[in-house]
């Protein structure tokens, strides 16, 4: 019998792969740091030019009084017909507030857009914070129409003053913001905020401006936003910040992650600036014919870039209809809550990244309703544990079939090894004899793989579900203060190269527990898996690979989950504990190697009927064997 040798080459190979991964991650980070200075310089120049232009227009408008003919002439020289708006009492830096139980919105006279959007039910960073989540504040966002007049002027609405009129209709707050060229000619933004709702109606229309504006081509608009950091880990939050949009046919897509990303979709019905747990959405009933969507990552150095996550820009156009604009739209400023967004019946639930295909189905039809039900009458930490137990119990029959198949293959291993030695020089004959043994014993070699494959979608779905579950935000369990963020038990301020960049400046406990559980699970199962799969000629030795994975998997868990939400780590910890328990119970009470061996021997004595698949495989192998013999004769 061949003596087992310790394969140093396999260990060195895995070690090199691991080092290469770390090296690539480190160098990518250095490239980002080098690009930071250039990006800041370019943005400083752009901001300065923008500020000077805006300041010039604003000074002209505010330095005006009705009756002063000199100033009015100067104003008309800059603004043309829209100088009328600058002569109204509303032509000043002022705001109109719309407020309900959910949100506070402040709309500026200057520009007519939402200058502040504050969510009343959510705190920034942690539950003890006195600061509410503000999606818009301190000029981090604006909405602008670029007006082209018939006398060849180009005016930006963000620099012009609107006249506000606030009323209440059927319990709804209605705000009309008008940019006037005369008393009866204007551009109007109309906001309607309903009670207890994050969504508000937003209409854009013109009246009587067909003689003022150039209506031969659409009006360009721009919506810009720098998204504020609202969570404890800016890197984790930034990972889920992106632009999501929907086509007219209902298909959704996203711009993607990265330093600078851009998409130019056609027929867009909504655009969402999604942060981790919050989102700002512009919806339109008349699709935008073409849109330019840009995403720029603002986090280049986590130690310095701590205020914003990303900068989003949308450029599109509003088309005239019979010389006037008339767009029915909506704004949404609120939580990225799957259930809440789904209730609007506007396909907004697709903004939540629950995964594609079967992974998304598992989340939408199993995980979301089940976890939502459990969280209504128990704490979130307990809900995760109960949720995990229920999922594992439901999967236990599949787990049992997998373990049973491994046990059968383990019993057959000596006979398979004997066949391998007997026909070591004839791979085709060895394969035929092995398949014949499986058939006689009533064992399907794929029976252990299929149950494992069935469990993979559920595992992947959990990696999508827990980071998206806003229910976990700022909900504590044991030592974890926030199940949606990392559960640091040790922190430090000193930046340690590579370690701080990859692992972070803290140690989370739940990932450590999950890594320990994974280690013991793989330690207990690796032997059975190796024994159940005899080494095949030309194939890697699974036993040696499993020995390396026993140690590599826990290390990867520690590295990649240290900055993830503790809810996901808790789920993985409990999941592996339960799997270990189920495995021990199955081995002790349900799987008896002696009985399995006796059953296999009994199966061998019974006459077997080949299935169509088995007959086809046998015929193919026999044909291949005949061809091989003919080739040998020719030689």
């Amino acid at each position: 019998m061949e003596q087992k040798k310790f394969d140093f080459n396999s260990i060195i190979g895995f070690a090199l792969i691991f080092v290469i991964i770390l090296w690539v991650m480190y160098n990518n980070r250095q490239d980002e740091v080098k690009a930071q200075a250039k990006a800041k310089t370019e943005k400083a120049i752009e901001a300065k030019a923008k500020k000077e232009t805006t300041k010039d227009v604003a000074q002209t408008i505010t330095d005006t009084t009705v009756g002063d003919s000199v100033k009015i002439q100067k104003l008309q020289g800059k603004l043309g017909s829209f100088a009328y708006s600058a002569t109204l009492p509303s032509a000043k830096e002022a705001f109109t507030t719309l407020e309900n139980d959910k949100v506070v919105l402040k709309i500026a006279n200057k520009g007519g857009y939402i200058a502040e959007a504050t969510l009343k039910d959510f705190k920034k960073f942690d539950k003890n914070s006195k600061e509410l989540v503000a999606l818009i504040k301190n000029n981090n966002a604006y909405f602008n129409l670029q007006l082209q007049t018939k006398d060849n002027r180009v005016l930006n609405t963000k620099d012009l003053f609107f006249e506000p009129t606030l009323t209440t209709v059927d319990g709804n707050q209605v705000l009309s913001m008008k940019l006037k060229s005369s008393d009866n000619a204007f551009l109007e933004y109309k906001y309607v905020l309903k009670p207890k709702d994050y969504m508000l109606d937003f209409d854009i229309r013109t009246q009587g401006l067909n003689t003022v504006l150039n209506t031969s081509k659409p009006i360009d608009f721009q919506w810009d936003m720098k998204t504020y950091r609202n969570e404890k880990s800016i890197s984790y939050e930034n990972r889920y910040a992106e632009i999501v949009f929907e086509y007219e046919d209902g298909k959704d897509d996203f711009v993607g992650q990265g330093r600078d990303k851009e998409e130019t979709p056609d027929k867009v019905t909504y655009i969402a600036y999604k942060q981790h747990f919050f989102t700002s959405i512009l919806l339109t009933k008349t699709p935008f014919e073409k849109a330019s969507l840009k995403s720029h990552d603002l986090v280049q150095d986590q130690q310095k870039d701590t205020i914003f996550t990303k900068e989003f820009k949308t450029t599109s156009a509003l088309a005239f209809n019979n010389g006037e604009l008339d767009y029915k739209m909506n704004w949404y400023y609120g939580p990225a809550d799957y259930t809440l967004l789904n209730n609007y019946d506007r396909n907004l639930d697709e903004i939540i990244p629950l995964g594609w295909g079967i992974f998304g189905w598992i989340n939408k039809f199993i995980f979301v309703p089940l976890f939502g039900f459990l969280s209504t009458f128990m704490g979130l930490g307990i809900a995760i544990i109960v949720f995990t137990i229920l999922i594992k119990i439901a999967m236990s029959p599949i787990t049992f079939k997998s373990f049973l198949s491994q046990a059968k293959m383990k019993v057959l291993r000596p006979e398979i090894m004997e066949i391998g030695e007997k026909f070591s020089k004839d791979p085709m004959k060895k394969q035929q004899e092995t398949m014949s043994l499986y058939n006689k014993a009533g064992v399907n070699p794929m029976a252990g793989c299929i149950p494992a494959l069935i469990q993979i979608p559920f595992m992947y779905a959990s990696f999508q579900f827990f980071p998206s579950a806003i229910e976990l935000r700022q909900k504590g369990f044991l030592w974890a203060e926030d199940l949606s963020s990392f559960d640091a038990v040790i922190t430090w301020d000193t930046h340690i190269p590579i370690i701080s960049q990859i692992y972070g400046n803290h140690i989370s406990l739940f990932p450590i527990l999950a890594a320990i559980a994974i280690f013991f699970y793989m330690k207990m199962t690796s032997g059975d898996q190796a024994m159940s799969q005899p080494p095949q000629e030309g194939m890697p030795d699974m036993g040696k690979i499993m020995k390396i994975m026993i140690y590599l998997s826990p290390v990867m868990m520690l590295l990649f989950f240290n900055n993830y939400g503790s809810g996901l780590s808790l789920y993985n910890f409990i999941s592996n504990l339960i799997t270990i328990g189920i495995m021990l119970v199955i081995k002790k009470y349900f799987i008896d190697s002696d009985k399995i061996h006796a059953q296999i021997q009994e199966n061998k004595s019974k006459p077997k009927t080949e299935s169509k698949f088995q007959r086809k495989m046998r015929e193919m192998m026999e044909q291949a064997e005949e061809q091989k013999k003919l080739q040998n004769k020719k030689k």
Side-chain angles (χ1 to χ4, degrees):
M1 184 177 290
E2 183 182 356
Q3 185 179 3
K4 293 185 178 180
K5 297 181 180 180
F6 199 65
D7 192 350
F8 285 100
N9 292 332
S10 296
I11 296 176
I12 293 172
F14 276 101
L16 287 174
I17 291 172
F18 186 65
V19 170
I20 290 171
I21 292 173
L22 294 179
W23 181 81
V24 170
M25 294 174 69
Y26 176 77
N27 278 274
N28 285 343
R29 182 62 182 163
Q30 295 303 311
D31 292 341
E32 291 178 355
V33 171
K34 290 178 182 179
Q36 180 182 6
K38 181 180 179 181
K40 288 185 176 180
T41 302
E42 292 174 352
K43 290 191 70 65
I45 295 173
E46 180 183 349
K48 183 177 179 182
K50 180 179 176 181
K51 183 177 180 181
E52 289 177 352
T53 302
T54 303
K55 182 178 178 181
D56 180 55
V57 175
Q59 285 179 344
T60 304
I61 296 174
T62 55
D63 188 23
T64 304
T65 57
V66 176
D68 190 331
S69 58
V70 175
K71 290 181 179 179
I72 289 178
Q73 287 180 358
K74 182 178 179 181
L75 196 61
Q76 289 176 337
K78 288 183 174 292
L79 305 179
S81 298
F82 288 105
Y84 179 82
S85 277
T87 65
L88 301 175
S90 57
K92 59 184 178 182
E93 298 280 357
F95 303 89
T96 304
T97 300
L98 300 178
E99 180 176 359
N100 60 17
D101 294 339
K102 301 295 183 181
V103 64
V104 180
L105 304 172
K106 289 187 177 181
I107 292 84
N109 285 11
K110 184 179 179 182
Y113 57 80
I114 298 173
E116 290 186 23
T118 304
L119 308 184
K120 300 172 73 172
D121 292 337
F122 298 93
K123 299 290 181 63
K124 192 172 185 178
F125 298 133
D126 63 74
K127 59 185 176 183
N128 297 318
S129 170
K130 296 181 180 179
E131 186 178 0
L132 294 174
V133 169
L135 301 183
I136 303 177
K137 66 176 182 179
N138 299 332
N139 300 315
N140 73 308
Y142 70 84
F143 181 83
N144 175 65
L145 299 186
Q146 191 174 77
L147 308 177
Q148 297 190 26
T149 65
K150 288 188 177 293
D151 55 358
N152 296 321
R153 301 176 193 275
V154 177
L155 303 174
N156 292 300
T157 57
K158 64 185 178 65
D159 299 325
L160 306 177
F161 286 100
F162 288 66
E163 182 182 51
T165 303
L166 179 61
T167 58
T168 301
V169 179
D170 296 330
N172 302 327
Q173 300 170 63
V174 180
L175 175 62
S176 171
M177 303 291 294
K178 293 181 178 178
L179 174 63
K180 296 183 174 182
S181 65
S182 67
D183 192 45
N184 295 315
F186 52 81
L187 164 69
E188 180 186 34
Y189 294 167
K190 184 179 179 181
Y191 300 90
V192 180
L193 181 63
K194 305 176 183 67
K196 299 181 180 181
D197 200 348
Y198 293 102
M199 183 85 74
L200 64 155
D201 297 338
F202 176 60
D203 297 345
I204 297 180
R205 73 181 187 97
T206 58
Q207 178 178 301
L209 293 183
N210 55 337
T211 60
V212 177
L213 298 177
N214 180 3
T215 60
S216 62
K217 57 182 180 179
I219 290 181
D220 292 332
F221 79 82
Q222 186 171 351
W223 175 32
D224 287 15
M225 175 182 284
K226 294 169 68 176
T227 54
Y228 278 107
R229 171 193 178 187
N230 291 304
E231 312 304 328
K232 185 162 57 174
S233 172
I234 191 168
S235 61
Y236 188 50
E237 179 179 7
N238 199 30
R239 188 178 301 148
Y240 297 95
E242 60 186 356
I243 301 178
V244 184
F245 58 93
E246 183 191 53
Y247 294 99
E248 186 179 21
D249 60 4
K251 179 184 176 182
D252 63 279
D253 206 343
F254 57 93
V255 173
Q257 299 287 342
R259 177 172 172 77
D260 288 291
K261 294 291 182 179
E262 182 175 1
E263 292 287 340
T264 54
D266 299 327
K267 302 289 185 180
V268 177
T269 56
Y270 74 66
I271 300 161
Y273 291 170
K274 184 186 175 297
Q275 298 167 248
H276 190 175
F277 291 120
F278 305 98
T279 184
S280 306
I281 312 172
L282 175 62
L283 305 95
T284 177
K285 293 183 179 179
T286 303
F288 303 135
E289 287 296 323
K290 194 173 189 65
S292 172
L293 311 176
K294 297 181 180 179
S295 173
H296 174 68
D297 193 346
L298 298 175
V299 182
Q300 308 305 317
D301 186 339
Q302 297 180 29
Q303 305 299 313
K304 298 178 182 178
D305 304 326
T306 59
I307 299 176
F308 301 102
T309 55
K310 285 189 170 70
E311 182 176 27
F312 298 135
K313 293 179 179 290
T314 293
T315 303
S316 188
L318 305 179
F320 285 96
N321 185 12
N322 295 324
E324 302 287 0
L325 290 179
D326 188 9
Y327 273 76
K328 306 293 183 183
M329 298 192 283
N330 298 90
W331 286 112
Y332 175 92
Y333 293 101
D337 184 316
Y338 174 84
T339 303
L340 176 62
L341 292 174
N342 189 44
N343 288 338
Y344 285 110
D345 198 25
R346 301 280 295 272
N347 209 33
L348 298 180
D349 56 293
E350 297 298 332
I351 292 171
I352 311 301
L354 294 180
W356 53 271
I358 188 172
F359 312 115
W361 300 340
I362 291 171
N363 276 324
K364 291 177 182 180
F365 302 116
I366 299 177
F367 283 10
V368 169
L370 177 59
F371 190 76
F373 170 73
L374 294 174
S375 61
T376 57
F377 58 88
M378 62 180 68
L380 271 297
I382 300 298
I384 290 175
I385 295 174
V386 174
F387 172 84
T388 310
I389 293 173
L390 293 176
I391 294 296
K392 297 307 290 186
I393 289 175
M395 301 293 291
S396 58
I398 297 175
T399 305
F400 174 75
K401 286 184 178 295
S402 180
F403 288 155
L404 181 60
S405 176
Q406 288 181 17
K408 289 180 178 180
M409 293 294 293
K410 184 178 179 181
V411 170
L412 284 178
R413 180 182 172 92
E415 296 183 57
I416 297 174
M417 295 290 290
E418 184 180 344
I419 292 174
E421 292 177 2
K422 184 177 179 179
F423 300 101
S424 59
K425 296 181 179 180
D426 191 345
M428 184 64 68
K429 186 65 175 177
K430 181 176 69 173
Q431 186 69 19
Q432 288 178 339
E433 292 297 322
T434 302
M435 293 297 295
S436 177
L437 175 62
Y438 287 150
N439 185 39
K440 290 178 181 178
V443 174
N444 183 356
M446 297 300 294
C449 300
I450 295 174
L453 291 174
I454 293 174
Q455 296 183 70
I456 290 176
F458 285 84
M459 180 186 68
Y460 182 80
S462 70
F463 282 83
Q464 297 290 106
F465 171 73
F466 284 101
S468 300
I470 193 173
E471 299 94 328
L472 302 179
R473 187 177 186 270
Q474 298 178 1
K475 299 297 191 301
F477 180 66
L478 299 178
W479 58 85
E481 297 179 354
D482 186 349
L483 287 168
S484 72
S485 186
F486 55 80
D487 57 310
V489 290
I490 298 176
T491 61
W492 61 89
D493 296 327
T494 305
H495 180 74
I496 304 173
I498 300 179
I499 293 178
S500 294
Q501 292 169 329
I502 297 175
Y503 186 69
N505 279 18
H506 64 273
I507 297 175
S508 299
L509 185 52
F510 275 128
I512 294 176
L513 295 176
I516 293 172
I518 287 176
F519 173 79
F520 282 106
Y521 167 72
M522 297 195 71
K523 189 77 173 175
M524 294 172 68
T525 59
S526 60
D528 289 343
Q529 291 175 347
M531 289 294 290
S532 67
Q533 297 293 335
Q536 300 291 326
E537 185 177 346
M539 299 295 290
D541 191 334
M542 292 303 297
K544 294 177 181 178
I545 294 176
M546 290 305 300
K547 287 179 181 179
I548 296 173
M549 292 302 297
I550 288 174
Y551 300 97
L552 185 60
S553 294
V555 171
M556 300 304 286
M557 165 64 76
L558 290 176
L559 283 177
F560 293 110
F561 282 82
N562 191 59
N563 289 295
Y564 267 73
S566 53
L568 178 60
S569 300
L570 172 61
Y571 171 81
N572 279 277
F573 170 55
I574 299 299
S575 178
N576 283 293
L577 278 185
I578 296 172
T579 302
I580 291 172
I582 291 175
M583 181 184 67
L584 292 174
V585 170
I586 290 175
K587 282 187 173 183
K588 185 173 182 179
Y589 297 103
F590 295 96
I591 294 181
D592 187 326
S593 296
D594 293 335
K595 289 183 178 180
I596 291 173
H597 184 269
Q599 183 65 49
I600 288 177
Q601 297 306 317
E602 183 181 346
N603 290 341
K604 288 182 181 180
S605 63
K606 295 179 180 179
K608 295 292 179 181
T609 303
E610 284 184 324
S611 66
K612 291 183 178 180
F613 175 76
Q614 290 173 329
R615 186 174 67 252
K616 190 68 176 177
M617 289 294 296
R618 178 178 56 79
E619 291 173 353
M620 289 175 62
M621 286 189 288
E622 288 175 352
Q623 289 175 4
E625 184 69 19
E626 290 296 327
Q627 289 179 359
K628 183 178 179 181
K629 289 179 180 179
L630 291 173
Q631 289 177 355
N632 290 335
K633 288 181 179 180
K634 290 179 179 180
K635 291 180 181 179

